[in-house]
């Protein structure tokens, strides 16, 4: 049976920015159905669908909504549109090409958790996306889908605000996002309390990824059984995959969760293989913090929340980065570590000092100035950063080192140190 | 939230308070857990990651003690191999970009980074990369910042947000370029700013005044009480070679918590001022103290029944009580003189009092309702010639005696002044005795809340100067009204406490480090 794209069905153009076009194609039907249910029922339905968060961690969406305590305080829904993880570019497309489905998912989530104010925290660089969203919100307000008395139900209201970030990856981490939204430095907060209990302005808060919310309406329009017919038992539903690096057809592709990574990279329907007939050397499954996979692992890995664990990796955002045989693994790791060094918020000692340290160390090795013992230090410093910080950025920076590149391509690193040059690209002494 | 929580720390039973965190409970129980960002007077930031402990039966290998609430039956381990590995790792990260310039750093000797590295660190660093260099600059007129030494614990930032509420400081940049700075055009110039230097666990914030003045291990520290306003903050005065080098707050939960203000911190210049009186004076010329004491006693006796004894609100309880005895012996009248109010200020978590006198409450309680409040009636009697001699116990720095007082004293036929600085009163006095500044004497002050706290002698008075309670004992002896021989301030306080109901039950020993509330409020 051919896969019917739902999340990316409007990706061919920009028509769905227009509310009439969106309505004509059934957008907001899911919200209409969900709003006829009571919130507990909505949460139960999403739980039953098995929808897991698409922001990277795969947390069950319905369960998260269920954590909202019963209280009179305001509750907030924050839509995480900060998408900044290198190799990840799905949310941007969803925002620019299908803003109304995102708003629809937002309406359903807000109804489920009893919230009247939602914020879409959008990466600062997504200036166009922010304009698209502002316009979509205006249109929806004018049609009574947002604002006071939404969907013709008196007393029910939802305001959605677009808040633009200022250029920090860490503001995509949910509590960093909250700090930033509150007007503070984008410092992640200590947990507990978790946002669901005490989040934005110390009120109960749910943070959901853009793609997660774009999934939500389908659970109501097509039903739980349809939703679960895709993907695996533990990772059901559709997924937008990103493909970049050394593939013939980079871009965004939709398929069920659990798609074989090999198929995503090589099938003509998706990536179409590695350019120039060169061999694949490594692939990162989902955003650069997820440990890299070797070709042998790529053969066996499926793109769901379980399979990559077998290879000490994770699905993450499912933004796959392919590297062919010309890529130096030391150089690739250095590139990744530069990012984390630049993006650490600097609160926690291990992350603040460790991200710079491992970046400089790898830079030195790639530059032909590695020394005996450097690799052991690199691994020790990276491991020392893990599990000891306020958020997991430190782990995300360390995993590619000790679970990924150095672990899986150690001989290449050793060659660099021994020969005091880049042995793949001939740089250095 | 409160209520006792029973737990164990390294196998030892410890009783914590509900709502407390594990680190706070350990520290209060006397268990040393190294930490940087945690400060009991500030919100928990949990950023240094140093206070790692292991909680038995928990899934996570180590947790930060400052972010873990205590729980009944909890078993905390502070020194397991996992804990030590985590501490070692954090210290190594902290030192990665540190310039290791301890030999030229003022903090050396009282630096938590130096101390914890010695106790918990690896011997050998493994960081061989280029270090990040950060700015060194004045954050304000009295606080200097060394970015290279800063460990970004944000104590200083949180202090300015939470305690002073002035918010001048912020972290700017991010990652390993994170550095403390002020907002453009808004320097760190609030009256509580000095506290940021005290709470900085390393040598990143230093006092511009103290900079390079002394190695801290040579300083002699004396616990005493600030005299600049009636709040009576507990302080430590640090001296070297007969001079005050530094003044820092001493924590007292009932008075000043962990803080003091910069008014009090920088109010001691007068102690070493060239205007200090270092000997007794007779008609303007230096004289032996014993001669002047005899002369004063003789003159006051000659005016018996017409003597005014003016006691300043800077005198100790002991001196005030002796002055009271003296007035009784001479059939004289007492009155309190005080510096006028200086507007205080209320910060979110600190209050500077308006009353610019440290012991108004104490002197008032001793002199009693008749002799205490206001010198108006006594001054009127001096002016009218009903009182003809005066003894003034001054000792108030930066005090401009009011014209009415000067005029009244000018009418008196004999004026004796006990003071510490030259000024209008000394100039008009017939006889002058050199007294001691508050850092030069023992005694008791009562703050505005009626809390009795001990002053302790950190320095000797200059030259021939003497503490007032000694001078007064000698005066009383010369008048034949003192049989006890020369006794200490503690002994005088004992007598005062036995005689003054408001001081009942108090004694020097019992006041301890933190003082005690005096029993009875002064009746109006
Ligand atoms: C360093 C860091 C950066 C993150 N950046 C993003 C991001 O850009 N977008 C996003 O949706 N989630 C991001 N996350 C994950 C969020 O913290 C959070 O788990 C997610 O938004 C929850 O939404 P979901 O449950 O719908 O997936 C990031 C997490 C970390 C640790
Ligand atoms: S782990 Fe890194 S990014 Fe996360 S809060 Fe700590 S310093 Fe900031
Ligand atoms: S200056 Fe001192 S108190 Fe402030 S953040 Fe740096 S180390 Fe902490
Ligand atoms: S508040 Fe008053 S007592 Fe405390 S330090 Fe300042 S001046 Fe001294």
């Amino acid at each position: 049976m051919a896969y019917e794209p739902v999340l990316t069905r409007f990706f061919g153009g920009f028509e769905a920015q227009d509310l009439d076009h969106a309505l004509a194609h059934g957008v907001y039907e899911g919200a209409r159905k969900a709003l006829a249910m009571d919130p507990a029922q909505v949460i139960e339905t999403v739980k039953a669908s098995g929808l897991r968060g698409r922001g990277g961690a795969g947390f069950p969406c319905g369960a998260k909504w269920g954590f909202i305590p019963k209280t009179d305080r305001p509750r907030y829904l924050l839509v995480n549109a900060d998408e900044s993880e290198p190799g990840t570019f799905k949310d941007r497309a969803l925002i620019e090409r299908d803003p109304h489905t995102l708003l629809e998912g937002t309406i359903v989530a807000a109804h489920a958790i009893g919230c009247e104010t939602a914020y879409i925290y959008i990466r600062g660089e997504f200036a166009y996306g922010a304009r698209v969203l502002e316009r979509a919100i205006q249109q929806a307000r004018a049609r009574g889908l947002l604002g006071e008395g939404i969907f013709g139900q008196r007393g029910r209201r939802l305001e959605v605000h677009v808040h633009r970030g200022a250029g920090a990856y860490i503001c995509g981490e949910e509590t960093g996002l909250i700090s930033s939204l509150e007007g503070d430095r984008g410092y992640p907060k200590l947990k507990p309390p978790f946002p669901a209990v005490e989040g934005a302005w110390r009120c109960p808060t749910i943070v959901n990824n853009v793609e997660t919310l774009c999934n939500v309406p389908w659970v109501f329009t097509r039903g739980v059984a349809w939703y679960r017919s895709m993907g695996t038992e533990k990772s059901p539903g559709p997924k937008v995959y990103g493909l970049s690096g050394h593939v013939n057809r980079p871009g965004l592709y939709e398929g069920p969760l659990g798609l074989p990574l090999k198929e995503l990279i090589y099938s003509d329907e998706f990536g179409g293989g590695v350019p120039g007939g060169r061999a694949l050397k490594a692939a990162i499954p989902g955003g650069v913090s997820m440990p890299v996979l070797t070709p042998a692992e790529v053969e066996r890995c499926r793109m769901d929340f379980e399979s990559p664990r077998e290879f000490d990796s994770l699905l993450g955002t499912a933004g796959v980065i392919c590297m062919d045989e010309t890529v130096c693994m030391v150089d690739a790791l250095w590139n990744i570590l530069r990012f984390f060094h630049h993006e650490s918020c600097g609160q926690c000692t291990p992350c603040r000092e460790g991200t710079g340290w491992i970046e400089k160390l790898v830079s030195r090795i790639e530059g032909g100035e590695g020394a005996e013992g450097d690799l052991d230090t690199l691994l020790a410093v990276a491991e020392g950063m893990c599990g000891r910080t306020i958020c997991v950025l430190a782990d995300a920076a360390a995993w590619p080192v000790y679970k990924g590149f150095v672990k899986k391509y150690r001989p290449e690193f050793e060659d660099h140190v021994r020969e005091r040059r880049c042995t793949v690209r001939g740089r250095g002494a | 939230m409160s209520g006792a929580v029973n737990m164990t720390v390294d196998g030892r039973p410890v009783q914590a308070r509900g709502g407390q965190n594990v680190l706070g409970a350990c520290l209060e129980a006397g268990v040393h857990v190294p930490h940087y960002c945690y400060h009991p007077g500030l919100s928990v930031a949990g950023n240094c990651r140093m206070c790692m402990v292991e909680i038995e039966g928990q899934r996570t290998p180590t947790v930060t003690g400052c972010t873990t609430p205590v729980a009944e039956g909890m078993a905390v381990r502070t020194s397991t191999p996992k804990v030590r590995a985590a501490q070692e790792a954090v210290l190594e990260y902290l030192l990665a970009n540190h310039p290791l310039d301890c030999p030229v750093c003022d903090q050396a000797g009282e630096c938590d980074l130096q101390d914890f590295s010695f106790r918990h660190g690896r011997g050998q660093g493994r960081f061989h990369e280029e270090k990040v260099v950060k700015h060194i600059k004045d954050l304000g007129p009295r606080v200097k910042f060394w970015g290279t030494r800063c460990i970004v614990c944000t104590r200083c930032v949180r202090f300015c947000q939470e305690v002073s509420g002035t918010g001048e400081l912020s972290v700017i940049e991010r990652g390993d370029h994170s550095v403390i700075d002020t907002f453009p055009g808004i320097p760190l110039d609030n009256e509580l700013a000095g506290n940021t230097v005290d709470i900085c666990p390393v040598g990143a914030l230093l006092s511009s005044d103290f900079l390079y003045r002394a190695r801290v291990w040579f300083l002699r520290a004396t616990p005493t009480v600030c005299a600049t306003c009636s709040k009576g903050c507990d302080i430590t005065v640090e001296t070297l070679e007969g001079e005050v080098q530094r003044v820092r707050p001493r924590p007292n939960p009932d008075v000043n918590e962990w803080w003091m203000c910069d008014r009090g911190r920088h109010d001691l210049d007068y102690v070493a001022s060239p205007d200090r009186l270092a000997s007794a004076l007779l008609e303007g010329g230096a004289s032996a103290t014993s001669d002047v004491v005899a002369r004063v006693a003789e003159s006051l006796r000659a005016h018996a029944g017409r003597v005014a004894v003016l006691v300043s609100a800077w005198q100790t309880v002991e001196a005030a009580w002796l002055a009271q005895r003296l007035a009784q012996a001479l059939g004289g009248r007492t009155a309190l003189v005080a510096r006028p109010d200086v507007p205080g200020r209320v910060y979110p978590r600190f209050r500077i009092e308006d009353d610019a006198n440290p012991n108004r409450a104490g002197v008032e309680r001793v002199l009693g309702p008749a002799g205490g409040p206001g010198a108006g009636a006594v001054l009127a009697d001096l002016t009218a010639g009903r009182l003809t001699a005066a003894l003034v116990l001054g000792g108030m720095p930066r005090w401009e005696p009011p014209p009415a007082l000067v005029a009244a004293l000018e009418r008196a036929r004999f004026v004796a002044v006990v003071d510490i600085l030259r000024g209008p009163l000394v100039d008009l006095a017939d006889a002058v005795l050199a007294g001691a500044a508050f850092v030069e004497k023992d005694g008791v002050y009562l703050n505005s809340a009626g809390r009795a706290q001990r002053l302790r002698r950190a320095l000797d008075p200059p030259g021939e100067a003497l503490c007032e309670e000694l001078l007064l004992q000698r005066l009383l002896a010369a008048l034949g009204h003192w049989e006890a021989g020369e006794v200490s301030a503690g002994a005088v306080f004992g007598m005062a406490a036995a005689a003054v109901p408001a001081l009942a039950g108090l004694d020097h020993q019992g006041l301890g480090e933190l003082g005690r509330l005096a029993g009875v409020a002064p009746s109006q």
Side-chain angles (χ1 to χ4, degrees), chain B residues 196-374:
Chain B
T196 60
V197 174
D198 301 331
I199 58 174
C200 179
V202 296
L205 292 180
L206 295 177
S207 149
S208 312
D209 295 334
F210 181 65
L211 197 64
Y212 304 137
R213 286 220 355 215
R215 275 308 191 185
V216 296
W217 51 85
F218 294 128
L219 298 179
R220 206 173 59 113
T222 308
T224 186
V225 177
C226 176
T228 300
C229 86
S230 64
K231 184 184 185 82
C233 292
D234 290 19
I235 58 170
T236 301
V237 171
E238 291 170 289
T239 55
L240 179 66
E241 288 161 6
E243 271 185 59
V244 175
Q245 302 291 339
R246 191 163 71 162
V247 178
R248 298 202 294 169
R250 243 180 335 123
N252 184 339
D254 295 317
V255 180
N256 52 315
E257 296 200 280
W258 295 266
W259 326 116
M260 75 179 296
C261 80
D262 286 0
R263 295 186 193 177
R265 199 186 288 268
H266 301 294
D267 195 28
L268 286 174
D269 311 351
Y270 68 86
V271 172
S273 140
D275 285 338
R276 272 306 291 276
L277 294 170
S279 73
L281 306 174
L282 213 47
E283 273 115 34
S287 286
T289 304
S290 53
D291 293 349
V292 180
V293 166
R295 172 66 186 281
V296 172
E298 190 184 313
S299 302
L300 292 179
R301 185 184 284 124
H303 291 267
R306 285 166 291 136
V307 174
V309 178
L310 303 178
V311 185
S312 91
W314 279 64
Q315 292 299 327
T316 59
V317 164
E318 292 84 347
W321 185 72
L322 290 168
Q324 166 87 333
R325 295 251 338 229
L326 190 75
Q328 279 165 359
L330 294 164
R333 312 240 314 268
T334 57
L336 175 114
V337 289
R339 301 201 301 184
D341 280 2
V342 174
R345 189 159 166 189
V346 181
Y347 293 91
R349 280 176 43 201
F350 193 86
R351 180 197 182 99
I352 302 173
E353 300 293 339
D354 296 332
D355 182 358
N357 300 281
N359 195 31
R360 185 191 294 271
V363 175
E364 274 179 7
R365 278 168 168 79
V366 170
L367 299 187

Side-chain angles (χ1 to χ4, degrees), chain A residues 17-272:
Chain A
Q17 286 180 1
D18 183 56
L19 180 57
D20 288 320
H21 186 92
L23 287 170
H25 286 79
V27 180
Y28 292 107
E29 278 316 306
R32 197 173 304 283
K33 285 188 180 163
L35 262 58
M37 302 161 74
D38 66 56
Q41 250 182 312
V42 172
I43 293 177
E44 284 315 310
T45 308
V46 173
K47 275 186 189 164
S49 76
L51 166 59
R52 295 176 65 173
R54 305 294 199 241
F59 196 85
C61 183
K64 190 194 276 190
W65 295 358
F67 292 152
I68 287 280
K70 299 214 178 333
T71 143
D72 296 337
R73 285 182 300 160
R75 281 157 256 189
Y76 295 105
L77 174 68
L78 310 183
V79 182
N80 192 341
D82 194 52
E83 188 170 67
S84 319
E85 175 106 355
T88 307
F89 43 97
K90 62 193 179 65
D91 296 340
R92 175 183 178 182
L94 288 164
I95 290 164
E96 292 176 359
R97 289 159 196 265
D98 193 7
H100 287 290
T101 298
L102 175 58
L103 292 180
E104 184 185 9
T106 303
I107 292 165
V108 177
H111 171 55
I113 65 168
C115 123
E116 298 188 332
T117 311
Y119 292 87
I120 304 178
Y121 187 102
I122 186 166
R123 176 176 174 169
E125 291 87 340
F126 291 175
Y128 177 65
R131 282 202 301 280
V132 170
L133 284 171
E134 295 279 14
R135 207 157 53 94
I137 291 167
Q138 266 172 25
Q139 292 173 345
R141 273 186 122 251
R143 228 44 97 76
L145 300 169
L146 289 177
E148 292 290 342
I150 58 172
F151 288 76
Q153 301 189 1
R154 257 203 302 146
R156 172 165 292 170
R157 57 191 294 274
L158 176 63
E159 295 296 347
V160 180
H161 306 282
V162 177
H163 183 98
R164 291 181 61 192
Y169 167 66
I170 197 58
C171 293
E173 194 280 339
E174 57 186 5
T175 56
L177 187 154
I178 290 170
S179 296
S180 171
L181 183 69
E182 289 172 336
D184 283 336
R185 258 176 89 77
Y187 271 169
K189 301 185 190 220
L190 296 166
K191 285 156 273 201
F194 288 93
V197 177
E198 201 180 299
W201 299 285
R202 309 195 68 176
C203 292
T205 300
I206 292 295
V207 183
N208 270 135
N209 168 257
V210 166
E211 187 188 356
T212 310
L213 291 173
C214 288
N215 266 262
V216 166
W218 299 99
V219 172
F220 295 88
T221 47
R222 302 279 178 98
V224 166
W226 170 87
Y227 194 83
R228 296 201 75 104
S229 72
M230 284 167 286
T232 68
E233 172 63 25
K234 288 184 172 164
S235 303
K239 181 79 191 88
V240 183
Y241 296 107
L243 259 182
S244 62
H246 292 135
V247 279
N248 279 313
R249 295 179 349 116
L252 292 167
Y253 297 97
E254 183 177 342
L257 270 168
L259 196 73
L261 177 54
K262 185 171 74 168
E263 190 179 329
L264 189 62
I265 296 173
Y266 291 101
S267 141
D268 285 339
E269 221 182 305
F270 302 111

Side-chain angles (χ1 to χ4, degrees), chain B residues 36 139 145-147 149-157 169 171 180 196 199-205:
Chain B
Y36 296 105
L139 293 178
F145 174 69
W146 268 259
R149 297 174 187 154
C150 171
I151 57 167
V152 206
C153 70
T154 69
R155 277 187 183 184
C156 55
V157 176
L169 297 184
V171 179
I180 303 300
T196 60
I199 58 174
C200 179
V202 296
L205 292 180

Side-chain angles (χ1 to χ4, degrees), chain A residues 167-168 185 187 341-350 352-353 356-357 360-361 364 381 384-385 388-390, chain B residues 45-49 67 86 89-90 92-94 97 126-127 129-130 132 151-152 171-176 178:
Chain A
R185 258 176 89 77
Y187 271 169
H341 180 195
H342 189 250
E343 297 296 341
S344 161
C345 85
Q347 269 193 103
C348 317
T349 306
R352 180 181 65 244
E353 307 295 337
W357 188 346
K360 289 173 183 177
L361 231 162
R364 193 153 54 71
V381 174
M385 293 162 60
R388 292 175 175 161
T389 51
I390 294 174
Chain B
N47 60 33
C48 77
R49 316 309 287 174
T67 61
V90 169
E92 194 176 15
Y93 296 125
L94 281 175
N97 283 301
R126 292 180 291 186
F127 185 87
E129 319 308 320
E130 196 174 313
V132 179
I151 57 167
V152 206
V171 179
I172 62 160
E173 308 295 344
R174 66 185 182 209
D176 57 9
S178 299

